[in-house]
Amino acid sequence: MNKKLSIIFLFLSLIIWAQKPTLFLIGDSTMSNKDNPEKNPEHGWGQVLPQFFTSGIEIQNHAMNGRSSKSFRTEGRWDKIEKQLKKGDFVIIQFGHNDQKLKDSTKFTNPYTQYRANLERYVNETRAKGATPILMTSITRRNFNENGVLIDTHKEYPLVVRLVADAMKVSFVDMQLLTEQMEISAGPEKSKLLHLHFKAGENPYYNKDKADDTHLSRFGAESVAKLAVKALKPLNIGLEKYIK
């Protein structure tokens, strides 16, 4: 009898596991997983996100360095996700950094036409599978002027995300605003800790001076992930029950 109960329990566990929802992340290098995480100072905020969620949800981080809303699709990366999508899943969509690249025709998108259309398509295709899309604006760059004022570098792209979220009634997190507040609160000097600022020899991973104000240190990635999680919780879309 005990053996039969064990088999039944295992069978039920497999069914529950098979029905486990997945949170998919699509975006660029600010979100992506980095190689050699134990030694590499650079981390994407999506890379550290799983520690803030329970084992009741699977997290697949498909964000990739250098990708835009255009190239992520043309390279077939979205197709792999779309084939897996099922009812009850979630997709965080965060592009913008590389859509700005005027010198790269494989990545650049006009914010008001191609970029908007790409976001709308991701949203519609996610919904068609019964999954929930979540739009996010890009995280800000550390870009203080000589007066200590944080200057925006993303121009129209975050505005378009807001417009799409409003028009299509999509769950939305304004990561640009949240990370701007974080950078400003830290100030021009302390905000360097959120990014990759090292003198030659200061960190064994870099043999030259490093001053990267776009990408994140582990501390920066965890700080951004915490902001994202805090903002996701009150959306009441079903994801909140998996947040620790």
Side-chain angles (χ1 to χ4, degrees):
M1 187 64 180
N2 286 339
K3 187 176 181 180
K4 287 183 179 179
L5 286 172
S6 297
I7 293 171
I8 292 170
F9 179 76
L10 178 61
F11 180 71
L12 290 173
S13 297
L14 288 171
I15 291 175
I16 293 170
W17 180 85
Q19 294 176 337
K20 182 188 289 191
T22 301
L23 170 61
F24 294 92
L25 310 180
I26 66 172
D28 53 47
S29 57
T30 60
M31 180 193 272
S32 67
N33 294 338
K34 311 300 176 182
D35 294 334
N36 200 9
E38 296 305 314
K39 295 182 179 179
N40 189 351
E42 184 182 343
H43 286 68
W45 72 262
Q47 182 176 4
V48 301
L49 192 64
Q51 65 186 291
F52 302 105
F53 283 81
T54 70
S55 58
I57 190 167
E58 180 186 353
I59 296 179
Q60 289 191 24
N61 187 6
H62 290 262
M64 186 60 59
N65 293 13
R67 270 57 182 190
S68 70
S69 66
K70 178 182 180 179
S71 63
F72 193 87
R73 182 183 290 276
T74 57
E75 291 177 0
R77 297 178 186 279
W78 173 247
D79 185 56
K80 291 177 182 178
I81 297 168
E82 192 179 11
K83 287 177 180 176
Q84 296 182 63
L85 273 178
K86 63 184 183 299
K87 186 177 180 180
D89 285 346
F90 304 88
V91 182
I92 291 178
I93 304 159
Q94 187 187 59
F95 291 104
H97 276 91
N98 299 300
D99 286 81
Q100 295 181 287
K101 293 188 174 179
L102 285 164
K103 295 182 179 180
D104 191 337
S105 62
T106 66
K107 297 174 183 178
F108 176 76
T109 60
N110 180 312
Y112 292 116
T113 55
Q114 298 173 63
Y115 180 65
R116 178 163 186 156
N118 288 345
L119 295 182
E120 291 172 343
R121 191 175 173 190
Y122 284 124
V123 167
N124 284 327
E125 290 173 354
T126 297
R127 285 175 166 170
K129 289 297 188 82
T132 301
I134 303 162
L135 284 171
M136 291 187 174
T137 47
S138 297
I139 67 170
T140 194
R141 292 184 175 95
R142 178 187 169 277
N143 184 41
F144 289 95
N145 68 12
E146 64 276 8
N147 299 312
V149 175
L150 186 69
I151 306 300
D152 172 58
T153 64
H154 289 110
K155 300 181 180 178
E156 304 96 333
Y157 292 89
L159 172 61
V160 173
V161 181
R162 296 181 185 98
L163 292 172
V164 172
D166 182 63
M168 300 185 74
K169 308 302 178 193
V170 185
S171 296
F172 170 69
V173 176
D174 197 343
M175 291 302 291
Q176 182 193 33
L177 172 63
L178 296 175
T179 53
E180 275 185 0
Q181 291 171 338
M182 177 182 69
E183 299 276 359
I184 292 168
S185 178
E189 282 306 310
K190 288 186 178 179
S191 59
K192 290 179 180 178
L193 297 174
L194 299 166
H195 299 277
L196 304 169
H197 281 257
F198 300 98
K199 294 293 183 184
E202 187 178 350
N203 188 293
Y205 210 78
Y206 302 114
N207 55 20
K208 296 180 181 179
D209 287 356
K210 183 77 171 177
D212 182 340
D213 293 316
T214 297
H215 300 100
L216 301 165
S217 64
R218 185 180 185 93
F219 171 66
E222 289 181 343
S223 299
V224 172
K226 287 176 183 177
L227 292 174
V229 170
K230 186 177 180 180
L232 286 168
K233 205 165 188 176
L235 293 179
N236 293 320
I237 54 175
L239 188 60
E240 62 279 357
K241 61 186 175 184
Y242 304 108
I243 295 173
K244 289 180 180 177

